[in-house]
Amino acid sequence: NVRDWLYVDDHVEAIKLVMASGKIGGTYAVGGGAALENIVLLDALCRAVAAETGKPADDYRSLITYVKDRPGHDRRYAIDSTKIRSELGWEPRVGVEEGLHLTVRWYLGNPEWVNGVKSGEYRNWLKLQYS
C-alpha cells in the first residue's frame, strides 16, 4: 500500500500557515510529496532505529509481520498539495529519511511518554482534557 509521508513538524507548520494566511473558508491539503509503499517506509524505519541504537537493521526487520488487508482497504492514498504550495508558498522542510531519524530520536529520548502510551495511562490524560 502507498501513502504520502510528512514529518510532524512540517505538518504543524502547514496548519499554522493556513490559520495565519489561508483564505477564510478555504481548504488546503497538506502532503509531503513523498509517496512510498508502506514496506519501503518500514525498511527505512528499521534502518533509522538501527542507526540510533547501534543494532543491526535485520534485528528490527525480523519483527515485521505481514497481515491480510481489511476488506475495502485502499491501495493508495494521494494528496494534491498544489494549492497550499502555490497560494501560501508552503513546502516541507524535512525529508522522509531525516524525519524518521528525528522521530526515532524523540521516542528513544522520551521513554516516560512511551511507557504512558504502552500502559494506557494516556487515556486518563485524554479523559481529563476532553471530558
Side-chain angles (χ1 to χ4, degrees), residues 44 47-49 51-52 96-106:
R47 289 192 317 272
V49 174
E52 298 299 327
V96 173
E97 295 275 341
E98 180 186 0
L100 286 172
H101 283 274
L102 292 169
T103 301
V104 168
R105 279 184 210 132
W106 188 91

Side-chain angles (χ1 to χ4, degrees), residues 21-125:
S21 303
K23 292 180 183 171
I24 294 175
T27 302
Y28 298 86
V30 180
L36 299 172
E37 290 183 355
N38 289 345
I39 192 65
V40 172
L41 182 86
L42 189 53
D43 184 66
L45 179 59
C46 289
R47 289 192 317 272
V49 174
E52 298 299 327
T53 62
K55 294 181 181 178
D58 284 341
D59 286 3
Y60 300 105
R61 285 187 193 102
S62 70
L63 300 172
I64 297 171
T65 303
Y66 292 88
V67 297
K68 188 176 180 177
D69 275 350
R70 67 182 183 272
H73 192 196
D74 294 329
R75 276 271 312 137
R76 181 180 185 96
Y77 293 139
I79 299 292
D80 181 357
S81 57
T82 302
K83 184 177 177 181
I84 191 171
R85 291 170 190 256
S86 63
E87 285 187 16
L88 303 181
W90 177 85
E91 293 285 337
R93 295 180 184 182
V94 179
V96 173
E97 295 275 341
E98 180 186 0
L100 286 172
H101 283 274
L102 292 169
T103 301
V104 168
R105 279 184 210 132
W106 188 91
Y107 278 96
L108 292 174
N110 291 278
E112 289 179 16
W113 186 90
V114 172
N115 290 335
V117 171
K118 289 167 76 173
S119 73
E121 180 60 31
Y122 75 97
R123 290 186 184 111
N124 294 333
W125 183 88

